[in-house]
Structure formats: C-alpha cells, structure tokens
Amino acid sequence: MSVKIEAPAHAAARGARLWRTAIRDSFLRLDPRQQVRNPVMFVVEIGSGLTTILFVQALAGRGEAPAPFIGSVAVWLWFTVVFANFAEALAEGRGKAQAEALRHARRTIQARRLVRPERGAHAESVPSTALRKGDVVLVQAGEAIPADGEVIEGIASVDESAVTGESAPVIRESGGDRSAVTGSTVVLSDWLVIRVTANPGEGFIDRMIALIEGARRQKTPNEIALNILLVGFTILFLLVCATLYPYSVFSVGVAGRGTPVTITVLAALLVCLIPTTIGGLLSAIGIAGMDRMIKRNVIALSGRAVEAAGDVDVLLLDKTGTITLGNRQAVEFIPIDGVNVRDLVETAQLASLADETPEGRSIVVLAKEQYALRGRTVGSGPEEAPRGATFVPFSAQTRMSGVDLDGQVIRKGAAAAIVEHVRGLGGRIPDGLAPAVDRISRSGGTPLVVARNEAVLGVIYLKDIVKGGIKERFQQLRRIGIRTVMITGDNPLTAAAIAAEAGVDDFLAQATPEDKLRLIREYQSGGRLVAMTGDGTNDAPALAQADVAVAMNTGTQPAREAANMIDLDSNPTKLIEVVEIGKQLLMTRGALTTFSIANDVAKYFAIIPAAFATTYPALSALNFMRLSTPDNAITAAVIFNALIIIALVPLSLRGVRYRPAGAGEVLRNNLLLYGVGGVIAPFVGIKLIDVILVALGLR
Amino acid sequence: MTETGVIRILVFLTVVFLLVKPLGRYMARVYEGERTLLVRLVGPFERWLYRIAGVDPEADMPWQTYTIALLVFTVAGLLLLYALQRLQAVLPLNPQGMGPVDPSLAFNTATSFATNTNWQNYGGETTLSYLSQMAGLTVKDFTSAAVGMAVLMALIRGLTRRSATAIGNFWVDTVRGVLYILMPLSIAVALLLAWQGVPQTLSAYKTATLLEPASYAQPLTDASGKPVLDARGHPRTQTIKVTDQQIAVGPVASQIAIKQLGTNGGGFFNANSAHPFENPTPLSNFVELLSIILIPAAIVYTYGAMVRDTRQGWALLAAMTICFVPAAGVAVGFEQAGNPLFHSLGVDQAASALQPGGNMEGKEVRFGPIDSALWAVTTTSTSNGSVNSMHDSYTPIAGMVPMVMMHLGEIIYGGAGTGMYDMVALVIVAAFVAGLMVGRTPEYLGKKLEAFEMKMATIVVLVMPAIVLVGTALAAATAAGRAGVSNPGPHGFSELLYAFTSMGNNNGSAFAGLNGNTPFYNDIGAVVMWLGRFWEIVPVLAIAGSLGAKKIVPPSAGTLPTHTVLFVLWLVAVIVILGALSFLPVLALGPIVEQLLLAAGTTFK
C-alpha cells in the first residue's frame, strides 16, 4: 500500500483524524436502523433507552428508584453501546484511510482507444470511465494505465507502487506470466497495447477499496455461527431477567417485606449478562483480521478466505522460490579417475565464463572461492574470457554449453548428453563417472559433467539451496497440524532428496497442472482444506480448486482471478503468515467469547444480592466482594461491563497472541488466560470500581 | 457426611462402572445389527413384527422422515393412552371398578408418559385400572425410553456417516431397543423385585382387619356442604372408627422394573418407590437405584463404541461423574447434618447404631438419609423422577441439589438416550467455543460445526431453561399457579420452581408439597412436557441429518482432541456455568435464601 510510506508527522495527524472520525461515528451508529444489525448491542440500546425514560420519570418525581441511580445506570448503558460502536468504527476507520489513499490513486484518465488491436491502428481519445471489457488501448511511457487489462503487444517497465507500495518498477510484456496490468499504475518506459479486462468500477483497485472499506463485507461462516450462539445467550438472559420480575413480586408476597426488583436493576442485570464484550467487539475483530492481511500486503478478496486460511490442513508449496532459493548452485567439483582437481576446476570455469545463467555464475564463483582461480587474466576484468574463444550457448537439442578455445572443445552438460558427445568424438567413458553422477542425483543435486575433447574430466555438483529457516517453519506448521507438500517439476529422486532436506511431509514430482489439480481434489475429498500459491496461467485451475488460493501480484490475470487472495509482495512464503492470521482471527473470537461469558459469574454475585436486598437481606451472604451498597454494586457492575469493552479494543484489533503449538496446548493457554482470567478479572474490577465510587462519595 | 455415606456412594458408583462396559458393548452390538444370542431367539419375532406392520427394515430414513415417524408414533401412543384412561371403566381388568379419568388429568397423564416424563398428577392405586397401568403406562414406559435411545442412535449415525442422506430407520431402532435391551433387563429386574416382595397379580385389592382399630373426628356437613356449627360456633364432628384397611396390589413388579430402567419414574402407587410394595427392602432399593442409572451410564460407552473411539465415551462418562459425585456428596451431607433448628431443641440428629440420624422428615426408615438422598440425586441427574422419599421435606440445600441436577439439563448420565443426546448438544457448544480458541473452524469427531449445527444445538441447550423459567414465572404470576403452593416463604417458590423444572426436563419427580391436579397445572404441565421433549428431539435429529451429510475431516495436530482431561474439564465448566447463569437467580430466591434464613433462625408460618 502506498500509505505505508509517509512521514511521522503526517501519520500522527492522520491518527488523530482517525480517532475523531471513529468517535463521531460511534455516536452516529446509535441509529437503531444501524444498531439492529448487531442484535446483542441492539438489546443494550433498548435497555439504555428504557432506563433513560425511567430516569426522566424519576426526575419528574415518580421514579421507581432514586434519580441519580437510574441516571448513572442509563449513562453507563449508553456508554456500553457507544464503546462497542467505537471499536467497530475505529477498525473500519483504519481501512477507510487506506482506501482513501487508493482512491487518490484512481482517477479518470484520457485513454487512447485503438480501433484495431495493434499498435499502429487509429486511436481515439476517450475517458477511462468509458472503457469497457474487451476494448484495446495504447499506453505510452509516462502515462497511467486506464484500466485493468492484459498486455497483448509490447514490453514496458511499469511503476506499480500505487498498488503494491513497492517503488522498483516491474516488467510487463505480452504473453507469458507477466502480462497482467492494473489500472492506475504508470508505464515508465516503452509502450504497451492492452486489452481491457474490467469494466469501470469493477477493477482491482475498486475491489480493493470496497473490501477495505468493508462496504461489501459479509459475515463469514464462523462469525454467523458464533452470532447464533451469542443471540441464543441473549435470548436466554432476556428470559432470565424478564422472569425475575414475577419471581420478585411473588417473593415479596411470601416474605412479607421489601419491594419488587426495579426495571432499572433488571435492565442493568440484562446488559451485564448478555455477551456484550464479544458482541460489541465481534465485527471489529473481523475487520481487524482483514486489516492485518492488508498490513502484510495481502489482499483477501473475501473475509471467508481469511477465515478458511485458519482451517487449512495442507499447504501446497512450489519448490522453486518457496522452499529453495530458486537457482541451483555449484557446491563441489568431483574429478574422475585421477584427473587433477585444478584441471577440472579450470576447465569448468572456462566452460562457464560466458554462461550467464545463475548455475553458470555459481560455478565461476565456487572456482574463485574454493580454488582461488581468477579466470584467465586476458582482457579487462579478472573473469574476462580469453581471446580467441568461441562460446557455445546451451541449446535444448544439445543440452550442453561450453567453449571452443585453442582447438580444445570444452563442454559441460547433462550426463547423458556429454556421454553421447564424448562417444561421438571416439573417447571412452571412465568407470568412475556413473557412480559419481548417481551419488549426486540421489542426494537431490544435479550433476553437470565436464569434458575436454574426448576426455571426461569430472562432475560439477549443482545443488538446490533450501532457504534458511524454512525447515523450522515446516516444523512449526507440523506442530499446528498442517501438512506441507512440495510441488516440483524435478524427477522423483531429486524431489525426494530436497523434500527430505527441507523437511516437508510429502512431495509431488514432475508435477503438471493436471497433477496439481488432482492432488488438491484428492485431499479435499478426504475432508482436508488445501491452500496453495501460484502465479502462472496454468496454475489457475488449481488455484480455483484450492480452498485458499494466493496469487502473486506479478502473476497473470487468470491466476489473479482464480485466487481468493493476492499477495502484493509476490512472496510465496507469505502463505504461512496468511494461515497464522486466519488462526489468530478465530482464536481472538473464541477467547473473547469465553472471557465474556466467564465474566457473568462475578456480575451475578454483585447484582443478585443487591437486587433482592429489600426482600431478603440474608442474600447479602452472596456478596463475596463486600460491595458497599446495593446501588453501588449494580452501578459498579455496569461500569465494569462498559469499560471492559474499551479495555479490550486494542486486543481485538491486534488479535490474541499467536504461537504455533498443538491444539491442546493452545486451548490450555487460552483457557487459563481468558477463561480463568475471565472469571477472576470482574471480581477485582467491580470491587475496585465500588471502592472508587465510595471514595468519590458519588452516593 | 459420615463414612457410611461416602462408602455407600462409592460402592454404588463402582457397581455402576463395572456394568457400563459389558452392557454398553451389548447395546452397541444390538443397534449395529450384529448377531447376539438374543437375536437368534427373538429375531423371528422381530421380523414378524416388521412384516405385519408393513415396515421395510432395510429402508434408511432421511432425518425429516425419521422425525415424522417418531412424532406420528408418539402422538398415536398419546391418543391411545388418553382413550384407554377415558374408557377404562368399560374395559376389562378393572377389579376396583375405577371410573373414567377426568379429561384434563387424562391428557396430562398421556402427555406425561408419552414424553418419558411420568409426572403424576394422579394417584395410581386410586385412579387407574390394571389395564390402564399395564397396557397404557407400562407400554409407554417401554416405547418412550426406546424412542429416546433411537434418537441417540440417529445422532451417532449422523456423526459417523460421511456425506450420507439418511440416519437409520426409526422403526427398527425403536423395536430393537424394546426387544433386545429394555425387555430382557426388565424381566430380570422384575423377577428380582418380585423375589423381594413386590406384588405381581391381577387380583383385586385386599382387605385387612386392623389389629388396632383407629378412630378420627370428621366434621359434619349439611346438605349444601357447609359445616354444621354447634352453639359456640365450632364445627360439629362425628367420630369415625376404622377397623379394616384396603391394601392396594396389582401387576406392580413388571411396571416398576421398566419405570426404573427406562428412566420413566412413574410409579404404580402414589407414593412411588417410597411405597413398601414398590420398594420393600434395602436390597430392592439398591436394585432399583442401579436400574435408574444403568442404561444412561452404559449408553455412554455404547456411544464411544459406535463412534469408533471408546475414549470419547469414557471422557463424557468422566465429565458426568465429575458433576455427579459432588452433588451426591452435598445432598447426602446436608441430609445427614439434619435441621439446624432441631439442634437447639435438643433433638439428637447424629447417626448412631440405633438411628440413621439426620433429617428423617419425609423419609422411609428402611432407607434413611443416605439412600434417600443418593436416590434423589440419581433420579434427577438422570431423567427418571421416581422417588423413595419426599424431596419437599429435604433441607433447603439438599432439596436444591435435585433441582440443580435437572437444571444442568439431565445430562449427568441423563435419561435413556436423552441424556446422551443432550450431552452431545452441550459438547457441540463446548467444542465450538474451544475450537475457535485453537484457531480453526470448530469440529467434533471430524464433523465441522457450522451455523446450522450451532442454531440447533443452541435451541437444544436453551429451550429447557426457557420453558422452566417461563413456566415458573407463569405459575408465580397467576392466582391459579399460586393456589397449588402449600408452603409459606421461599419454600413455596421452590415448590413452583421444582414442578416446572421437573416437567420441563421430562423428569417427573415432584417436590411433593405442590398440589398439581388442577386444570392449570394439568394443561400448562402437558404443554411444558411436550415442549421439553420435542424441542430437543427435533433439533437433535436435524443436527444428525446435517452432520451426516458432511465429510469427516481427518484429525491432525491442529484438531482439538475431545477425549483429553483438558476438554473434559472445559466441558464440565461449560455445563456448570451455563446451568449457573440460567438458574442462579431463581435458586437464590428459593433454596439458597431459605437455607440462609434457616441458618439465621428465621422460619415461616
């Protein structure tokens, strides 16, 4: 996001604005038509309204209880609603600010619409808002791309910082996996002919804005299920409180003393009992979850996807780029049958001097580092090729590359290719070659055989370098019950060796797109949820099938459309973080639900003795907290109930602490903290508030 | 609590636990259609039954069909029982010439037995003919228990089948429950009871001549029913001398066996298992006590066996026992401690070789406070409701324990089948919240718990507190409701609360003080019992259907295990907190404040 880059002063000002807006919004949301969407808080609002009416009645001198008592209960009930609204408004506000920045980037541009899909065709100038799917436009250096589309002609560097926050330009070209362009990004050099793939208002940035603003935010499946439970609790407590009135009247009758419980006390009791803590923070938690994704530069196209990420059982990871560094590196020179190792290294280096592939460069580097060989010092640079050399580049037919120098034919390449080449020259294959090649293959490496003329000198061991720390990462995943599967085009032998080194649970070798799709379906039919990343067009079917599909932003349009998340950083390892965010989201909801209900125990012990103090003073035996007066006890419980919402706003926005561990361990920790803590905290809190009320001498 | 009390509870539970596995395994085999010895004997009869009823035993029903079959079966049985009571005067097996039962009472009784509640607003020996008792009540005792077990089987199939559309065959489940489980156990228990002296006869009541004739004074009334007053304004009385006594007998043993085994509780006599002909000896008492809890406890093992993970069953059994033991301890303890006000009067309430001690009001000397209180807890923790002492006369806290056991939802072992399926609903709620806490879409036994399951489980869990609270409020707020109360002070409130707690939970035990045979209690009670039964069964079957259609997620390290000590403790916490949050206020206004006032020496007249 471009909003990541901003000056501290600017950020502070924005922070203040965020708060101001959130505070204003939390009052605006008191509108019952809005409040009704959150049933738990709607009940609180009704309770607030009711006690306010009772307060007015008390002011008029016909109150059921002293006006100051009713008044303070009413005020704190209103605060309860406002605090919950504030949490939601604050969570939404953070997204809104980000959306604002995006909206800034999106502006109407004059586009050059081509009548025929080729560069030289006649162009007409139209506003970008008039472009429709299928139109073809020409964009030249310095111009903004008017809409999402696919490059059909040309190659250009494009500044995508408006979307990704990444200032380094990226290359976009027709064909291949880098053909997708996003509206509002800017072409820096050259030109592109683009076929528009999104109507105005439906483009990537528009979707991002809508998502971030929460305008299209639908409740996720787990949120709906939890809401049902919360509504159930609310109905139960509604009945508990409503029936308490006839019980109280009956009790006054049989005890022959006291007055029935007041409506104010019942409203206070109800609000304290219903799960206002989780009810008030639930939507803030959901919004904050999406927000945390955005902070990590992942755009989730639905909240459902974020939630599903927490359920993922199987991660399909591409070997290249995710598990290994992406390029093989030379790690060892193995001379065969008494060949001098220096001879081999020198020859190998010569063969690689002109080889610009990462593998070739790594051979030169290894030669330099291990054998202090600095190439032939002919020419300007230390590794410059000797004069008179003819380089032979790699070709798919010969599967070799090398150099012809001073009548010597130096080649390196796959074992089979070199064997054929040497035999063709009349040479013999040394007995030591086959075991050396085998050994390398078995350990997951790629053997490159080096030959000079008709003699085989030795083998270069090219190794896939597994990323540092990735093994530990997989161990963590295993601990939380997630299986990792490596997808690679390598042969099974090589794949098995790398899989073992990286510590993945399984691998799919020589994988075709069909294989991937089949593998995903297989896991899913076994009841598992599968996550994968992809960027190419041929990944699209598998992405569409996977439950959580993260497309790289650098990927093709079909891949981006098939996915339900887009990683703006195009970092395949991000999938692991995505899973963690999903889990954290659910954990936060579960923890606060437990906390909310656990709180009720203490509230009962505060309110029940107070509510029936006039009828049955003996019930004060239940007043464990030794609260000062019945009115103070009830007020303290209501105040605690309101303040706890505010106190937990940071937690609900940040999410509960996440540590990878087995389910049993996570449950134990969360139960101790939010369950046991949830029982104890209000005893302490309510007592404290009571002490303060007495100290302030409010009543 | 005395040492004897502790030992008595432990011995009882030990015997129960020894029987859990063999019986539980046998029941699993029966419901899974495996061949047992009995299948070879009774199998032809079972198949003949299906043939004449035109039932295809192989037909698998979707949950909706299962539910409809269940409701049709129950309603038909209810109407039959109603008709039987209304027509008993003209039907055979009526040696005492009992007249037709009043419509309101007959409706209440029919509903009560059809819902496995066995709330009795009638006195058996003064109201019903032998035919009504045998063909009406006893038959319903069998079928209502078998229906409860059938619902559990449907739920188990929902939990274990993958992507299935059906959850079993209601007729087969019910018939098997009766033929292979309830029938053989009942025969065994009935024989044991008959051996101990429980009558089993169709002959008329006996008349015995009293060795010591008694007399009492009866007020005289005039033709209009007003008392006749003497010159000083006192009512005039007439002395009546009693020289003989009618002794009620009947086909008792057969009915008592199933009323205990099927967690029904509806006694043959008004005094239920306190009556010497229903429960003559301490041994018969032990057999009956064991029969109450036998199937509810064993079926938990059946559950574990049928979900192919017996650890799940043991874990739930552990959770139930964790709740049961302290409850039994509190009830027995408070009853053995006796009435604190008696101490100041110099009454010796200590247990000794000569007396059981404790609070003996409303108790049989055969049983004493330990066996009475243990029975009270057992009968309410399951959905049985038979009594061997009068709960109304317990000390307030000991009297509260049976209420609490019912308030927890009768899942501490629970009714035959009913306790277990209600427990599963609570497990679903507990697993849902715990599942969120470990960061996954909650699942139980590999089935994802989503909005539909939560909706249904929430209904199952909340409908009971709702009807108990609303019913009690209705009684407290209306003159008709208050008229039934016979005790002053908070105890009167406890009577109302107990009545609706018992009916709403399909328990059927009574806090004897309440006069329930009035149109108000008969009609409202019938509605409450009906809702309490079917607002749980229908959502449970819906859960079964919905879960059955789902895939099974294979467990991984990220899956919340539901057989661990941690989960058991969490489940117990959920059960206790849910119960406490729903009922703490009402209990505070009833037994809690009564005990506090008693301790302070306040009494009500």
Side-chain angles (χ1 to χ4, degrees), chain B residues 360-416:
Chain B
M360 278 299 287
E361 185 194 312
K363 291 189 182 59
E364 296 294 299
V365 285
R366 308 196 285 295
F367 309 135
I370 301 174
D371 286 346
S372 300
L374 184 56
W375 182 300
V377 175
T378 310
T379 197
T380 47
S381 69
T382 64
S383 127
N384 189 287
S386 64
V387 294
N388 74 348
S389 59
M390 298 304 123
H391 297 178
D392 201 22
S393 303
Y394 279 34
T395 55
I397 294 296
M400 179 177 80
V401 173
M403 283 194 250
V404 169
M405 296 317 275
M406 291 186 273
H407 288 160
L408 297 185
E410 285 181 343
I411 43 155
I412 314 306
Y413 309 113

Coordinates of all heavy atoms in Angstrom, one line a residue, chain B residues 360-416:
Chain B
M360 N -34.9 -36.9 59.0 CA -35.7 -38.0 58.6 C -37.1 -37.7 58.2 O -37.9 -38.6 57.8 CB -35.8 -39.0 59.8 CG -34.6 -39.9 60.0 SD -34.3 -41.0 58.5 CE -35.7 -42.2 58.8
E361 N -37.5 -36.4 58.1 CA -38.8 -36.0 57.7 C -39.0 -36.4 56.2 O -38.2 -36.2 55.4 CB -39.0 -34.5 57.8 CG -40.4 -34.0 57.5 CD -40.5 -32.5 57.3 OE1 -40.0 -31.8 58.1 OE2 -41.1 -32.1 56.3
G362 N -40.1 -37.1 56.0 CA -40.5 -37.5 54.6 C -39.6 -38.6 54.1 O -39.6 -38.9 52.9
K363 N -39.0 -39.3 55.0 CA -38.1 -40.5 54.6 C -38.7 -41.8 55.2 O -39.3 -41.8 56.2 CB -36.7 -40.2 55.0 CG -36.0 -39.1 54.2 CD -34.6 -39.0 54.5 CE -34.0 -37.9 53.7 NZ -34.6 -36.6 54.1
E364 N -38.4 -42.8 54.5 CA -38.7 -44.2 54.9 C -37.6 -44.6 55.9 O -36.4 -44.4 55.6 CB -38.8 -45.1 53.7 CG -39.9 -44.8 52.8 CD -41.3 -45.0 53.4 OE1 -41.6 -46.1 53.8 OE2 -42.0 -44.0 53.4
V365 N -38.0 -45.3 57.0 CA -37.0 -45.7 57.9 C -36.2 -46.9 57.3 O -35.1 -47.1 57.7 CB -37.6 -46.2 59.3 CG1 -38.0 -45.0 60.1 CG2 -38.8 -47.1 59.0
R366 N -36.7 -47.5 56.3 CA -36.0 -48.6 55.6 C -34.7 -48.0 54.9 O -33.7 -48.7 54.7 CB -36.8 -49.3 54.5 CG -38.1 -49.8 54.8 CD -38.6 -50.7 53.7 NE -39.1 -50.1 52.5 CZ -40.1 -49.3 52.4 NH1 -40.8 -48.9 53.4 NH2 -40.5 -48.8 51.2
F367 N -34.8 -46.8 54.5 CA -33.7 -46.2 53.7 C -32.9 -45.2 54.4 O -31.7 -45.2 54.2 CB -34.3 -45.6 52.4 CG -35.3 -46.5 51.7 CD1 -36.5 -46.1 51.2 CD2 -34.9 -47.9 51.5 CE1 -37.4 -46.9 50.5 CE2 -35.8 -48.7 50.8 CZ -37.0 -48.3 50.4
G368 N -33.5 -44.3 55.2 CA -32.6 -43.4 55.9 C -32.1 -42.3 55.0 O -32.4 -42.3 53.8
P369 N -31.4 -41.3 55.6 CA -31.0 -40.1 54.8 C -30.0 -40.5 53.6 O -30.1 -39.9 52.6 CB -30.3 -39.2 55.8 CG -30.3 -39.9 57.1 CD -31.0 -41.2 57.0
I370 N -29.1 -41.5 53.8 CA -28.1 -41.7 52.8 C -28.7 -42.3 51.5 O -28.6 -41.7 50.4 CB -27.0 -42.7 53.3 CG1 -26.3 -42.1 54.5 CG2 -26.0 -43.0 52.2 CD1 -25.3 -43.1 55.2
D371 N -29.5 -43.4 51.7 CA -30.1 -44.0 50.5 C -31.2 -43.1 49.9 O -31.4 -43.1 48.7 CB -30.6 -45.4 50.8 CG -29.5 -46.4 51.0 OD1 -28.4 -46.1 50.6 OD2 -29.8 -47.5 51.6
S372 N -31.8 -42.3 50.7 CA -32.8 -41.4 50.2 C -32.2 -40.3 49.4 O -32.6 -40.0 48.2 CB -33.6 -40.8 51.3 OG -34.3 -41.8 52.1
A373 N -31.2 -39.6 49.9 CA -30.5 -38.5 49.2 C -29.8 -39.0 48.0 O -29.9 -38.3 46.9 CB -29.6 -37.8 50.2
L374 N -29.2 -40.1 48.1 CA -28.5 -40.7 46.9 C -29.5 -41.0 45.8 O -29.2 -40.7 44.6 CB -27.7 -42.0 47.3 CG -26.9 -42.6 46.2 CD1 -25.8 -41.6 45.7 CD2 -26.1 -43.8 46.7
W375 N -30.6 -41.5 46.2 CA -31.7 -41.8 45.2 C -32.2 -40.4 44.6 O -32.3 -40.3 43.4 CB -32.8 -42.5 45.9 CG -34.0 -42.8 45.0 CD1 -34.8 -42.0 44.3 CD2 -34.5 -44.1 44.7 NE1 -35.7 -42.6 43.6 CE2 -35.5 -44.0 43.8 CE3 -34.1 -45.4 45.1 CZ2 -36.3 -45.1 43.3 CZ3 -34.8 -46.5 44.6 CH2 -35.9 -46.3 43.7
A376 N -32.4 -39.4 45.5 CA -32.9 -38.1 45.0 C -31.9 -37.6 43.9 O -32.4 -37.0 42.9 CB -33.0 -37.2 46.1
V377 N -30.6 -37.7 44.2 CA -29.7 -37.1 43.2 C -29.7 -38.0 41.9 O -29.7 -37.4 40.8 CB -28.3 -37.1 43.8 CG1 -27.3 -36.6 42.8 CG2 -28.3 -36.1 45.0
T378 N -29.7 -39.3 42.1 CA -29.7 -40.2 40.9 C -30.9 -40.0 40.1 O -30.8 -39.9 38.8 CB -29.5 -41.6 41.4 OG1 -28.5 -41.7 42.4 CG2 -29.3 -42.5 40.2
T379 N -32.1 -39.9 40.7 CA -33.3 -39.9 39.9 C -33.4 -38.5 39.2 O -34.1 -38.5 38.1 CB -34.5 -40.1 40.8 OG1 -35.6 -40.5 40.1 CG2 -34.8 -38.9 41.7
T380 N -32.8 -37.5 39.6 CA -32.9 -36.2 38.9 C -31.7 -36.0 38.0 O -31.8 -35.2 37.1 CB -32.9 -35.0 40.0 OG1 -31.9 -35.2 40.9 CG2 -34.3 -35.0 40.6
S381 N -30.6 -36.6 38.3 CA -29.4 -36.4 37.4 C -29.7 -37.2 36.1 O -29.3 -36.8 35.0 CB -28.1 -36.9 38.0 OG -28.1 -38.3 38.2
T382 N -30.4 -38.3 36.2 CA -31.0 -39.0 35.1 C -32.4 -38.4 34.8 O -32.7 -37.5 35.6 CB -31.2 -40.5 35.3 OG1 -32.1 -40.7 36.3 CG2 -29.9 -41.1 35.7
S383 N -33.1 -38.8 33.9 CA -34.4 -38.2 33.7 C -35.5 -39.1 34.3 O -36.6 -39.2 33.8 CB -34.6 -37.9 32.2 OG -35.8 -38.4 31.8
N384 N -35.1 -39.8 35.4 CA -36.1 -40.8 35.9 C -37.2 -40.2 36.7 O -38.4 -40.3 36.2 CB -35.3 -41.8 36.8 CG -36.1 -43.0 37.2 OD1 -37.0 -42.9 38.0 ND2 -35.8 -44.1 36.7
G385 N -37.0 -39.7 37.8 CA -38.1 -39.0 38.5 C -38.9 -39.8 39.5 O -39.8 -39.4 40.1
S386 N -38.5 -41.1 39.7 CA -39.1 -41.9 40.7 C -38.5 -41.4 42.0 O -37.4 -40.9 42.1 CB -38.9 -43.4 40.5 OG -37.5 -43.6 40.6
V387 N -39.3 -41.5 43.1 CA -38.7 -41.1 44.4 C -38.9 -42.2 45.4 O -39.8 -43.0 45.4 CB -39.5 -39.8 44.9 CG1 -39.2 -38.6 44.0 CG2 -41.0 -40.0 45.0
N388 N -38.0 -42.2 46.4 CA -38.2 -43.1 47.5 C -38.3 -42.3 48.8 O -38.2 -42.8 49.9 CB -37.1 -44.2 47.6 CG -35.8 -43.6 48.1 OD1 -35.5 -42.4 48.2 ND2 -34.8 -44.5 48.4
S389 N -38.3 -40.9 48.7 CA -38.5 -40.1 49.9 C -39.2 -38.8 49.3 O -39.2 -38.6 48.1 CB -37.2 -39.8 50.5 OG -36.3 -39.1 49.6
M390 N -39.6 -37.9 50.2 CA -40.3 -36.7 49.7 C -39.3 -35.6 49.6 O -38.8 -35.1 50.7 CB -41.5 -36.4 50.7 CG -42.5 -37.4 50.7 SD -43.2 -37.8 49.1 CE -42.9 -39.6 49.0
H391 N -39.0 -35.1 48.4 CA -37.9 -34.1 48.3 C -38.3 -32.8 48.9 O -37.5 -32.0 49.3 CB -37.7 -33.9 46.8 CG -37.1 -35.1 46.1 ND1 -36.9 -35.1 44.7 CD2 -36.8 -36.3 46.6 CE1 -36.4 -36.3 44.4 NE2 -36.4 -37.1 45.5
D392 N -39.6 -32.6 49.1 CA -40.1 -31.4 49.7 C -39.6 -31.2 51.1 O -39.5 -30.1 51.6 CB -41.7 -31.4 49.7 CG -42.3 -30.1 49.8 OD1 -41.6 -29.1 49.4 OD2 -43.5 -30.0 50.2
S393 N -39.4 -32.3 51.7 CA -39.0 -32.3 53.2 C -37.5 -32.2 53.4 O -37.0 -32.2 54.5 CB -39.5 -33.5 53.9 OG -40.9 -33.6 53.7
Y394 N -36.7 -32.1 52.3 CA -35.3 -32.1 52.5 C -34.9 -30.7 53.0 O -35.6 -29.8 53.0 CB -34.6 -32.3 51.1 CG -34.5 -33.7 50.7 CD1 -35.5 -34.6 51.0 CD2 -33.4 -34.2 49.9 CE1 -35.4 -36.0 50.6 CE2 -33.3 -35.5 49.5 CZ -34.3 -36.4 49.8 OH -34.2 -37.7 49.4
T395 N -33.7 -30.7 53.6 CA -33.1 -29.4 54.0 C -33.0 -28.6 52.7 O -32.8 -29.2 51.6 CB -31.8 -29.5 54.7 OG1 -30.9 -30.3 53.8 CG2 -31.9 -30.3 56.0
P396 N -33.1 -27.2 52.8 CA -33.1 -26.5 51.5 C -32.0 -26.8 50.5 O -32.3 -27.0 49.4 CB -33.0 -25.0 52.0 CG -33.6 -25.1 53.4 CD -33.2 -26.4 54.0
I397 N -30.8 -26.9 51.0 CA -29.7 -27.1 50.0 C -29.7 -28.5 49.5 O -29.6 -28.7 48.3 CB -28.3 -26.9 50.7 CG1 -28.2 -25.4 51.1 CG2 -27.2 -27.3 49.8 CD1 -28.1 -24.4 49.9
A398 N -30.0 -29.5 50.3 CA -30.2 -30.9 49.8 C -31.3 -31.0 48.8 O -31.3 -31.7 47.9 CB -30.4 -31.9 51.0
G399 N -32.4 -30.2 49.1 CA -33.5 -30.2 48.1 C -33.2 -29.4 46.9 O -33.8 -29.6 45.8
M400 N -32.2 -28.5 47.0 CA -31.8 -27.8 45.8 C -31.0 -28.7 44.8 O -31.0 -28.5 43.6 CB -30.9 -26.6 46.2 CG -30.4 -25.8 45.0 SD -29.5 -24.3 45.5 CE -27.9 -25.0 45.9
V401 N -30.2 -29.6 45.4 CA -29.4 -30.5 44.6 C -30.2 -31.2 43.5 O -29.8 -31.1 42.3 CB -28.5 -31.5 45.4 CG1 -27.8 -32.4 44.5 CG2 -27.6 -30.7 46.3
P402 N -31.3 -31.8 43.8 CA -32.1 -32.4 42.7 C -32.4 -31.4 41.6 O -32.4 -31.7 40.4 CB -33.3 -33.0 43.4 CG -32.9 -33.2 44.8 CD -31.9 -32.2 45.1
M403 N -32.8 -30.2 42.1 CA -33.2 -29.1 41.1 C -32.0 -28.8 40.2 O -32.1 -28.7 39.0 CB -33.6 -27.9 41.8 CG -35.0 -28.0 42.3 SD -35.6 -26.4 42.8 CE -35.7 -26.5 44.5
V404 N -30.8 -28.7 40.9 CA -29.6 -28.3 40.1 C -29.3 -29.4 39.1 O -28.9 -29.1 37.9 CB -28.4 -28.1 41.0 CG1 -27.1 -28.0 40.3 CG2 -28.6 -26.8 41.9
M405 N -29.4 -30.7 39.5 CA -29.1 -31.8 38.6 C -30.0 -31.7 37.4 O -29.6 -31.9 36.2 CB -29.3 -33.1 39.3 CG -28.4 -33.4 40.4 SD -26.7 -32.9 40.1 CE -26.1 -34.4 39.3
M406 N -31.3 -31.3 37.6 CA -32.2 -31.1 36.4 C -31.8 -29.9 35.6 O -31.9 -29.9 34.4 CB -33.6 -31.1 36.9 CG -34.1 -32.4 37.4 SD -35.9 -32.4 37.8 CE -35.9 -31.8 39.5
H407 N -31.4 -28.8 36.4 CA -31.1 -27.5 35.7 C -29.9 -27.7 34.8 O -29.7 -27.0 33.8 CB -30.8 -26.4 36.7 CG -32.1 -26.0 37.4 ND1 -32.0 -25.3 38.6 CD2 -33.3 -26.1 37.1 CE1 -33.3 -25.0 39.0 NE2 -34.1 -25.5 38.0
L408 N -29.0 -28.6 35.1 CA -27.9 -28.8 34.3 C -28.3 -29.5 33.0 O -27.5 -29.7 32.1 CB -26.8 -29.7 35.0 CG -26.2 -29.1 36.2 CD1 -25.1 -30.0 36.8 CD2 -25.6 -27.7 35.9
G409 N -29.6 -29.9 32.9 CA -30.1 -30.5 31.6 C -30.2 -32.0 31.7 O -30.4 -32.6 30.6
E410 N -30.1 -32.6 32.8 CA -30.2 -34.0 32.9 C -29.3 -34.7 32.0 O -29.7 -35.5 31.1 CB -31.7 -34.5 32.7 CG -32.5 -34.2 33.9 CD -34.0 -34.7 33.7 OE1 -34.3 -34.9 32.5 OE2 -34.7 -34.8 34.7
I411 N -28.1 -34.3 32.1 CA -27.0 -34.9 31.2 C -26.0 -35.6 32.1 O -25.0 -36.2 31.5 CB -26.3 -33.8 30.4 CG1 -26.1 -32.6 31.4 CG2 -27.2 -33.3 29.3 CD1 -25.0 -31.8 31.0
I412 N -26.2 -35.6 33.4 CA -25.2 -36.3 34.3 C -25.7 -37.7 34.3 O -26.5 -38.1 35.1 CB -25.3 -35.7 35.7 CG1 -25.2 -34.2 35.7 CG2 -24.1 -36.2 36.5 CD1 -24.1 -33.6 34.9
Y413 N -25.3 -38.4 33.3 CA -25.9 -39.7 32.8 C -27.1 -39.5 32.0 O -27.3 -39.9 30.9 CB -26.0 -40.7 34.0 CG -24.8 -40.8 34.8 CD1 -24.7 -40.4 36.2 CD2 -23.6 -41.3 34.3 CE1 -23.6 -40.4 36.9 CE2 -22.5 -41.4 35.0 CZ -22.4 -41.0 36.3 OH -21.3 -41.0 37.0
G414 N -28.1 -38.8 32.6 CA -29.3 -38.4 31.9 C -30.3 -39.5 31.6 O -30.1 -40.6 32.2
G415 N -31.3 -39.2 30.8 CA -32.3 -40.2 30.5 C -31.8 -41.2 29.6 O -30.7 -41.1 29.0
A416 N -32.5 -42.3 29.4 CA -32.1 -43.3 28.4 C -32.1 -42.7 27.0 O -33.1 -42.4 26.4 CB -33.1 -44.5 28.4

